[in-house]
Amino acid sequence: MRLSTYFLPTLKENPADATMASHRLMVRAGLIRPLAAGIYSWLPMGWRVMKKVMEIIREEMDAIGGQEFQLPALNPIEIWEETGRVEAFGDTLFHIKNRPLVLAPTHEEIFTTIARDNMKSYRDFPQIWYQIQTKFRNEPRPRSGVIRGRQFFMKDSYTFDRSFEELDKSYLLHREAYKKIYSRSGLKFFIVGASSGAMGGTGSQEFMVESVDGEDTCALCDDCGYAANLEVASSAVKPVGRLDDSRSIEEIHTPNAKTIDQVAAFLKVSTDRLAKSLVYKTDDTAVLILMAGNDQLNEAKLTAALGKGAVPMQPEELALSTGAGAGSIGPVGLKNFRIIADKRLEDANELISGANKDDYHIAHVDLMRDVKVDGYYDLRTISAGESCPGCGHQLRVVNAIEIGHIFKLGTKYSAALHASYLDEAGEEKPIVMGSYGIGVERIIACHIEQNHDDNGIKWDKAVSPFDVHLASVNMDNKDVVAAADKVYSDLKEAGIEVLYDDRQGVTPGFKFKDADLLGMPVQVIVGERNLKQGNIELKFRSTGERKVVPSAQVLSEIKSYLAN
Ligand code: ATP
Ligand code: MG
């Protein structure tokens, strides 16, 4: 490709709104252009990368027996109503104004109806179906460039099996395929246990790339390999437990002591003996949640415990239903609330809690005696430095970007959409499903996050838009142009993808800057001075190493470099 005729608008300045290197570099290197918040156009250079990543995904999905589909992005809203997901997605779902249609944010519903209508017998199983397709989500905070878009490409696949044992096999096939896809895309990644949330399902894992800008947080044990999203991570934190002397409850005046630390200081007890009360509500229930001391409630864990989403109760409503402000709520004598507690508080006694009366607390609370606890759940957010639940080693907590998610759905969608089959005995059984997603843009952005320097991108050959960046730096010298033209045709003939900077009137310095910004693995620089000695200069972008070689060796040097 000759740069003189290629559409490649590069920029010297960083886009003002870009905080992440990948976002800055994708715009500056002419890969993408913003159209609106969370919506991007892919320019020719960016689209070449996209196609390469998609091809890697296709090859690995085909290798596990995946069959490629292409489903409509426009979906009748009724199907989404049948599974309850118009409500579940809420404002994230894009609605069409003049028809009862929605823009699909994912495709469980449509794939399931195809399976339901066409797979009736146990002989029809198993199946692995996938597509690489545009998804639409009205993300409330689109940011970080293409990492969180309102329109993005997802590889989504779905497995259909007869049993949970067979689902386990389909799930493992995906796990292995994903490892290959991300490795081939040149990413350093890790896998964590993940939340199945209100979606139900029987297990899921996420593929993560560590990044300070990541919106996910994960706990990692460097010793035994324990790895979990904070939404499900646990630690070997000590239970609060029971003290020997259990006294009768007693109301105590605690003026001006509102926070856990203030109350603990005022009463001269350890913060762990305080049972903090948080008040949430679901669509039909008010819920009081007890946490030990300063432990933080994890809302994803709460959703999993309740089986549905819950939001904090607002102060006015709180005062109406308990008679007290947020700092003085407590479980003793509280009516019309479902009371649940964090596992650390299981069966604990000698606790201090709010008295449902401003400026008062209750001491000596025994959860086995004084409170009807509906259930103990793991609800707390763990912190760095706590002990690994597997081996006791200190946990590390890191931010990460989710690049993929594999999910054992079980029968949630087949039950909702009545997708069943007849087994060997002629008995009707629900289809057992899995669903698996990859964010295609996120692979590209994360690749750049992990492979760049101040000057620009450093592509791995596997996803690089071109293999070689050839620059002729003295376009007014006929010999230089002839030599560069020859390298260009030799490389092309050898099947090597080459971008040829043959622009007139562009200074050498400018060409070098562009070459570093664009980031092809190998740069070939044809210039007057070297050529006089019959030489051409090579520069390897990843290390910055330079090498001057005789013209005749350029092709073999590049071939051997790219082969490694
Ligand atoms: P997140 O928690 O980041 O919003 P998600 O849990 O909503 O992700 P899934 O529904 O599991 O994501 O989608 C599958 C994959 O699609 C994700 O693992 C991620 O890589 C990608 N993805 C999800 N939302 C976006 C988005 N708004 N823009 C780009 N890629 C996305
Ligand atoms: Mg999301």
Side-chain angles (χ1 to χ4, degrees):
M1 189 64 62
R2 284 175 180 269
L3 197 44
S4 56
T5 55
Y6 194 50
F7 179 69
L8 181 65
T10 57
L11 298 176
K12 260 203 279 201
E13 301 299 327
N14 286 319
D17 61 328
T19 52
M20 289 182 72
S22 55
H23 185 186
R24 287 197 292 272
L25 289 170
M26 286 174 83
V27 175
R28 283 189 51 205
L31 273 59
I32 55 168
R33 281 294 180 268
L35 177 63
I39 308 177
Y40 290 88
S41 303
W42 285 85
L43 309 189
M45 183 71 98
W47 191 243
R48 288 179 76 94
V49 180
M50 181 68 85
K51 282 191 291 186
K52 288 194 179 178
V53 174
M54 287 179 172
E55 212 35 50
I56 291 173
I57 294 173
R58 283 200 176 92
E59 284 174 20
E60 297 302 337
M61 290 308 300
D62 292 346
I64 60 166
Q67 301 163 70
E68 187 169 357
F69 282 59
Q70 194 59 226
L71 301 190
L74 271 177
N75 292 184
I77 195 166
E78 299 89 71
I79 301 183
W80 286 81
E81 272 159 356
E82 266 183 76
T83 55
R85 288 222 287 182
V86 172
E87 213 191 319
F89 270 99
D91 204 33
T92 306
L93 190 64
F94 278 112
H95 291 255
I96 302 289
K97 216 168 179 181
N98 56 351
R99 291 246 174 230
L101 298 172
V102 295
L103 285 172
T106 172
H107 274 86
E108 278 80 6
E109 277 76 359
I110 313 306
F111 272 107
T112 307
T113 56
I114 294 174
R116 174 191 67 196
D117 298 342
N118 298 283
M119 291 170 47
K120 306 281 188 196
S121 153
Y122 66 92
R123 286 189 214 89
D124 299 332
F125 294 82
Q127 290 287 318
I128 299 177
W129 296 351
Y130 78 95
Q131 64 176 345
I132 299 177
Q133 195 241 23
T134 306
K135 301 286 188 264
F136 298 89
R137 294 183 182 182
N138 187 20
E139 298 282 359
R141 284 177 300 278
R143 59 174 146 184
S144 316
V146 298
I147 288 179
R148 185 168 298 286
R150 290 197 167 130
Q151 165 172 344
F152 61 96
F153 288 104
M154 194 196 289
K155 185 290 296 174
D156 45 327
S157 47
Y158 306 84
T159 56
F160 302 90
D161 284 295
R162 290 166 291 203
S163 66
F164 280 86
E165 294 74 54
E166 289 177 3
L167 165 62
D168 286 348
K169 283 188 203 149
S170 302
Y171 183 89
L172 274 183
L173 282 176
H174 272 83
R175 208 182 118 103
E176 293 311 305
Y178 275 36
K179 285 190 200 163
K180 289 186 184 148
I181 289 166
Y182 296 124
S183 300
R184 285 183 59 188
S185 306
L187 290 181
K188 292 183 272 298
F189 64 93
F190 57 92
I191 304 174
V192 296
S195 167
S196 307
M199 291 263 296
T202 55
S204 81
Q205 287 171 303
E206 287 162 340
F207 289 73
M208 293 287 186
V209 162
E210 188 172 338
S211 159
V212 287
D213 297 295
E215 292 185 53
D216 280 272
T217 319
C218 302
L220 302 175
C221 174
D222 294 331
D223 210 41
C224 73
Y226 173 79
N229 194 307
L230 240 55
E231 296 178 351
V232 296
S234 59
S235 74
V237 64
K238 268 215 329 267
V240 173
R242 295 187 72 77
L243 295 184
D244 287 345
D245 68 334
S246 198
R247 290 182 270 166
S248 318
I249 56 170
E250 179 191 337
E251 201 174 85
I252 37 181
H253 191 214
T254 48
N256 302 324
K258 287 264 178 290
T259 66
I260 292 292
D261 289 329
Q262 286 164 350
V263 177
F266 182 78
L267 298 176
K268 300 192 176 59
V269 294
S270 114
T271 52
D272 281 356
R273 294 240 79 87
L274 267 68
K276 177 172 63 179
S277 295
L278 301 167
V279 186
Y280 276 67
K281 57 176 192 177
T282 67
D283 50 4
D284 56 10
T285 317
V287 188
L288 183 111
I289 302 138
L290 291 173
M291 303 293 301
N294 277 316
D295 284 2
Q296 295 299 308
L297 172 70
N298 186 299
E299 291 193 350
K301 289 183 177 179
L302 178 66
T303 301
L306 298 174
K308 55 167 97 169
V311 292
M313 199 181 268
Q314 293 310 307
E316 314 79 59
E317 205 180 341
L318 196 63
L320 272 179
S321 52
T322 65
S328 306
I329 309 291
V332 178
L334 187 69
K335 297 209 177 59
N336 303 323
F337 273 80
R338 175 175 174 200
I339 299 173
I340 62 173
D342 179 62
K343 264 205 172 319
R344 261 193 96 191
L345 286 172
E346 194 152 10
D347 298 342
N349 69 346
E350 285 301 306
L351 299 172
I352 293 155
S353 71
N356 297 322
K357 189 163 130 190
D358 284 339
D359 290 338
Y360 281 88
H361 278 81
I362 296 182
H364 316 302
V365 176
D366 182 341
L367 292 183
M368 294 178 84
R369 180 191 67 196
D370 307 318
V371 181
K372 193 185 153 289
V373 179
D374 242 9
Y376 291 94
Y377 302 90
D378 174 16
L379 298 171
R380 70 188 287 278
T381 304
I382 70 129
S383 341
E386 288 179 12
S387 303
C388 170
C391 71
H393 192 85
Q394 281 203 341
L395 289 172
R396 219 154 47 88
V397 171
V398 301
N399 289 96
I401 298 168
E402 178 192 327
I403 50 174
H405 195 171
I406 53 177
F407 208 121
K408 294 182 188 175
L409 290 174
T411 56
K412 178 182 157 92
Y413 293 90
S414 46
L417 295 165
H418 312 289
S420 57
Y421 70 96
L422 296 178
D423 70 6
E424 280 98 327
E427 222 179 288
E428 195 171 325
K429 294 272 172 65
I431 298 176
V432 181
M433 290 177 55
S435 95
Y436 317 85
I438 288 182
V440 189
E441 281 91 342
R442 287 189 189 182
I443 291 184
I444 300 172
C446 289
H447 183 93
I448 297 174
E449 285 297 319
Q450 292 184 344
N451 300 283
H452 73 272
D453 60 17
D454 288 346
N455 300 325
I457 304 171
K458 298 174 169 188
W459 294 110
D460 262 21
K461 174 184 159 46
V463 295
S464 183
F466 295 91
D467 302 319
V468 172
H469 187 123
L470 167 66
S472 150
V473 292
N474 308 94
M475 287 303 291
D476 41 8
N477 180 318
K478 276 205 201 79
D479 295 339
V480 168
V481 173
D485 281 352
K486 175 151 185 350
V487 173
Y488 182 53
S489 57
D490 286 352
L491 288 172
K492 280 207 303 185
E493 218 163 277
I496 293 168
E497 295 173 340
V498 43
L499 180 70
Y500 178 15
D501 190 347
D502 62 340
R503 290 174 296 179
Q504 302 273 359
V506 175
T507 65
F510 201 87
K511 288 194 173 186
F512 298 148
K513 276 214 161 63
D514 265 355
D516 278 355
L517 172 66
L518 297 172
M520 301 334 147
V522 184
Q523 296 174 14
V524 180
I525 302 141
V526 187
E528 226 159 45
R529 210 159 0 108
N530 278 321
L531 199 64
K532 270 198 194 127
Q533 329 291 295
N535 292 333
I536 285 176
E537 187 179 359
L538 303 182
K539 178 179 161 187
F540 304 103
R541 182 67 179 95
S542 69
T543 57
E545 183 204 346
R546 292 169 186 276
K547 204 169 180 182
V548 176
V549 301
S551 311
Q553 276 175 33
V554 167
L555 183 61
S556 62
E557 282 281 345
I558 291 176
K559 272 188 176 165
S560 83
Y561 181 82
L562 291 175
N564 294 318

PDB file of all heavy atoms in Angstrom, residues 89 92 137 139 148 152 402 442, ligand 2:
ATOM      1  N   PHE A  89     -32.439  -5.159  31.424  1.00  0.00           N
ATOM      2  CA  PHE A  89     -31.488  -4.231  30.801  1.00  0.00           C
ATOM      3  C   PHE A  89     -31.851  -2.784  31.083  1.00  0.00           C
ATOM      4  O   PHE A  89     -30.993  -1.915  31.097  1.00  0.00           O
ATOM      5  CB  PHE A  89     -31.394  -4.467  29.285  1.00  0.00           C
ATOM      6  CG  PHE A  89     -30.332  -5.460  28.914  1.00  0.00           C
ATOM      7  CD1 PHE A  89     -30.650  -6.776  28.644  1.00  0.00           C
ATOM      8  CD2 PHE A  89     -29.002  -5.066  28.856  1.00  0.00           C
ATOM      9  CE1 PHE A  89     -29.662  -7.698  28.317  1.00  0.00           C
ATOM     10  CE2 PHE A  89     -28.005  -5.969  28.535  1.00  0.00           C
ATOM     11  CZ  PHE A  89     -28.338  -7.294  28.265  1.00  0.00           C
ATOM     12  N   THR A  92     -30.323   0.511  29.464  1.00  0.00           N
ATOM     13  CA  THR A  92     -29.205   0.111  28.606  1.00  0.00           C
ATOM     14  C   THR A  92     -29.694  -0.391  27.245  1.00  0.00           C
ATOM     15  O   THR A  92     -28.959  -0.403  26.272  1.00  0.00           O
ATOM     16  CB  THR A  92     -28.386  -0.997  29.311  1.00  0.00           C
ATOM     17  OG1 THR A  92     -28.029  -0.510  30.596  1.00  0.00           O
ATOM     18  CG2 THR A  92     -27.136  -1.338  28.559  1.00  0.00           C
ATOM     19  N   ARG A 137     -25.553  -0.972  23.144  1.00  0.00           N
ATOM     20  CA  ARG A 137     -25.890  -0.802  24.568  1.00  0.00           C
ATOM     21  C   ARG A 137     -25.817   0.679  24.908  1.00  0.00           C
ATOM     22  O   ARG A 137     -24.800   1.324  24.632  1.00  0.00           O
ATOM     23  CB  ARG A 137     -24.920  -1.578  25.470  1.00  0.00           C
ATOM     24  CG  ARG A 137     -25.039  -3.071  25.287  1.00  0.00           C
ATOM     25  CD  ARG A 137     -24.128  -3.825  26.237  1.00  0.00           C
ATOM     26  NE  ARG A 137     -24.254  -5.256  25.989  1.00  0.00           N
ATOM     27  CZ  ARG A 137     -23.624  -6.204  26.671  1.00  0.00           C
ATOM     28  NH1 ARG A 137     -22.825  -5.861  27.661  1.00  0.00           N
ATOM     29  NH2 ARG A 137     -23.806  -7.463  26.380  1.00  0.00           N
ATOM     30  N   GLU A 139     -24.794   2.535  27.133  1.00  0.00           N
ATOM     31  CA  GLU A 139     -23.954   2.614  28.327  1.00  0.00           C
ATOM     32  C   GLU A 139     -24.111   4.003  28.940  1.00  0.00           C
ATOM     33  O   GLU A 139     -24.003   5.008  28.229  1.00  0.00           O
ATOM     34  CB  GLU A 139     -22.481   2.386  27.950  1.00  0.00           C
ATOM     35  CG  GLU A 139     -22.174   1.022  27.336  1.00  0.00           C
ATOM     36  CD  GLU A 139     -22.085  -0.080  28.386  1.00  0.00           C
ATOM     37  OE1 GLU A 139     -22.242   0.213  29.586  1.00  0.00           O
ATOM     38  OE2 GLU A 139     -21.850  -1.247  27.986  1.00  0.00           O
ATOM     39  N   ARG A 148     -15.393   1.062  26.055  1.00  0.00           N
ATOM     40  CA  ARG A 148     -16.804   1.041  26.433  1.00  0.00           C
ATOM     41  C   ARG A 148     -17.592   1.879  25.436  1.00  0.00           C
ATOM     42  O   ARG A 148     -17.699   3.092  25.574  1.00  0.00           O
ATOM     43  CB  ARG A 148     -17.013   1.539  27.873  1.00  0.00           C
ATOM     44  CG  ARG A 148     -18.477   1.410  28.320  1.00  0.00           C
ATOM     45  CD  ARG A 148     -18.677   1.624  29.797  1.00  0.00           C
ATOM     46  NE  ARG A 148     -17.983   0.643  30.617  1.00  0.00           N
ATOM     47  CZ  ARG A 148     -18.377  -0.631  30.767  1.00  0.00           C
ATOM     48  NH1 ARG A 148     -19.461  -1.074  30.160  1.00  0.00           N
ATOM     49  NH2 ARG A 148     -17.692  -1.456  31.525  1.00  0.00           N
ATOM     50  N   PHE A 152     -20.623  -1.726  19.483  1.00  0.00           N
ATOM     51  CA  PHE A 152     -19.334  -2.421  19.474  1.00  0.00           C
ATOM     52  C   PHE A 152     -19.501  -3.816  18.896  1.00  0.00           C
ATOM     53  O   PHE A 152     -20.616  -4.322  18.760  1.00  0.00           O
ATOM     54  CB  PHE A 152     -18.743  -2.488  20.885  1.00  0.00           C
ATOM     55  CG  PHE A 152     -19.599  -3.231  21.887  1.00  0.00           C
ATOM     56  CD1 PHE A 152     -19.361  -4.580  22.176  1.00  0.00           C
ATOM     57  CD2 PHE A 152     -20.645  -2.601  22.546  1.00  0.00           C
ATOM     58  CE1 PHE A 152     -20.146  -5.266  23.099  1.00  0.00           C
ATOM     59  CE2 PHE A 152     -21.436  -3.282  23.472  1.00  0.00           C
ATOM     60  CZ  PHE A 152     -21.188  -4.612  23.744  1.00  0.00           C
ATOM     61  N   GLU A 402     -12.222  -6.194  31.388  1.00  0.00           N
ATOM     62  CA  GLU A 402     -12.802  -7.486  31.008  1.00  0.00           C
ATOM     63  C   GLU A 402     -12.780  -7.611  29.489  1.00  0.00           C
ATOM     64  O   GLU A 402     -13.391  -6.823  28.792  1.00  0.00           O
ATOM     65  CB  GLU A 402     -14.245  -7.563  31.529  1.00  0.00           C
ATOM     66  CG  GLU A 402     -14.961  -8.836  31.140  1.00  0.00           C
ATOM     67  CD  GLU A 402     -16.469  -8.774  31.402  1.00  0.00           C
ATOM     68  OE1 GLU A 402     -16.895  -8.122  32.365  1.00  0.00           O
ATOM     69  OE2 GLU A 402     -17.207  -9.369  30.602  1.00  0.00           O
ATOM     70  N   ARG A 442     -12.037  -4.425  22.520  1.00  0.00           N
ATOM     71  CA  ARG A 442     -11.199  -4.428  23.729  1.00  0.00           C
ATOM     72  C   ARG A 442      -9.896  -5.176  23.510  1.00  0.00           C
ATOM     73  O   ARG A 442      -8.886  -4.851  24.126  1.00  0.00           O
ATOM     74  CB  ARG A 442     -11.982  -5.010  24.914  1.00  0.00           C
ATOM     75  CG  ARG A 442     -13.056  -4.047  25.410  1.00  0.00           C
ATOM     76  CD  ARG A 442     -13.700  -4.495  26.709  1.00  0.00           C
ATOM     77  NE  ARG A 442     -14.850  -3.638  27.012  1.00  0.00           N
ATOM     78  CZ  ARG A 442     -15.601  -3.740  28.093  1.00  0.00           C
ATOM     79  NH1 ARG A 442     -15.330  -4.670  28.997  1.00  0.00           N
ATOM     80  NH2 ARG A 442     -16.629  -2.917  28.287  1.00  0.00           N
TER      81      ARG A 442
HETATM   82 MG    MG B   2     -21.930  -4.079  30.662  1.00  0.00          MG
END
